Amino acid sequence: RFTAIMASEDSAAPVVVDDCRGVLLVYSDGAVVRRDGPGFATPVRDDGTVEWKDAEFDAPRGLGLRLYRPRQRNQLLPVFFYYHGGGFCIGSRTWPNCQNYCLRLAAELGAVVVAPDYRLAPENRLPAAIDDGAAALLWLASQAGPAGDTWLTEAADFTRVFISGDSAGGTIAHNLAVRFGSAAGRSELGNVRVRGYVQLMPFFGGTERTRSEAECPDDAFLNRPLNDRYWRLSLPPGATVDHPASNPFGPDSPALEAVELAPTLVVVGGRDILRDRAVDYAARLRAMGKPVGVREFEGQQHGFFTIDPWSDASAELMRALKRFIHTDGRFD
């Protein structure tokens, strides 16, 4: 009887054991199936005032980025990186919600926007995405010279670069701030000068629950089960969420006191599961004397600015980002 049962179980079809928004399905036999799109219909609103093109920054891995610039320009423009979110497991620069947000960034900030892709988990676990984020920034540095792509060099001011990321992209931005926040790190970037960082609802974790995590409702856009699933799929096997890739203040994370941090704006939503971690992150950095400011959007959930880039709250965020960029890192 035992043999028969085992044979029956072995012959059973694989079942889904992890589902990330219907976009990423992980099966019991280890197979991974992905959808090309985000799983929800979002029309791209492109009025033609911004032009864009794709470029490759890591040919061996097939990684690309999308570049945006306003059609009308009379001077070199600041460069604004945008690393998409998705719990390190889903997302793409080609998704309509990302496209819409970047189109609006380029138009309203008056900036060259760089939106890179990065390797996703569980096929490529952390720190793969962080390494790819650094590779995209180093690619930009390689363009800041006579051999650079003229489409970029005729529009971009490489001495005014801002690094932003949404959710998991915010975690990438933090790690880039640490890697390049020293004389040695800055030397890797050559003629590129990073003037500031924008952490848009950064995806940080920790083994001890925060209040916003403990009280997060199940119907939230990012709820506890999905939050935990992302970490389980993206961290190295056996790692806890105190891993340095997820917790900036974990027991094995690099000390941040010596990091020469450029001005950093941390954006949080009042109804976001990640709110308390982001607020604590900013407070602890300020206690170290780092130039960090927090902008909270009351009543807003995780990713509100990409869910609806034309909402009133998104317009308010655009104004805050524009002030931050055009004052080279002021928070007021």
Side-chain angles (χ1 to χ4, degrees), residues 249-321:
F249 306 105
D252 298 319
S253 300
L256 302 180
E257 286 83 357
V259 175
E260 298 170 14
L261 190 67
T264 299
L265 176 63
V266 180
V267 174
V268 301
R271 293 175 53 211
D272 183 15
I273 186 175
L274 302 176
R275 177 202 176 274
D276 290 355
R277 287 202 185 276
V279 171
D280 177 70
Y281 168 82
R284 293 172 75 164
L285 288 177
R286 282 200 303 267
M288 299 176 193
K290 311 300 183 186
V292 179
V294 175
R295 182 70 172 82
E296 180 163 356
F297 288 79
E298 294 291 343
Q300 296 300 318
Q301 64 175 327
H302 190 74
F304 70 90
F305 41 86
T306 53
I307 295 172
D308 184 1
W310 297 277
S311 66
D312 291 342
S314 296
E316 186 179 347
L317 173 61
M318 286 290 172
R319 290 191 291 270
L321 295 179

Side-chain angles (χ1 to χ4, degrees), residues 8-9 34 46 58 61 64 70 96 114 172 199 220 260 267 322:
S8 175
E9 289 178 349
R34 292 185 177 276
D46 186 349
D58 187 337
R61 294 192 172 102
V114 182
I172 292 175
Q199 305 256 2
E260 298 170 14
V267 174
K322 189 171 184 176

Side-chain angles (χ1 to χ4, degrees), residues 141-153:
S142 75
Q143 302 299 305
D149 184 344
T150 56
W151 196 96
L152 185 61
T153 59

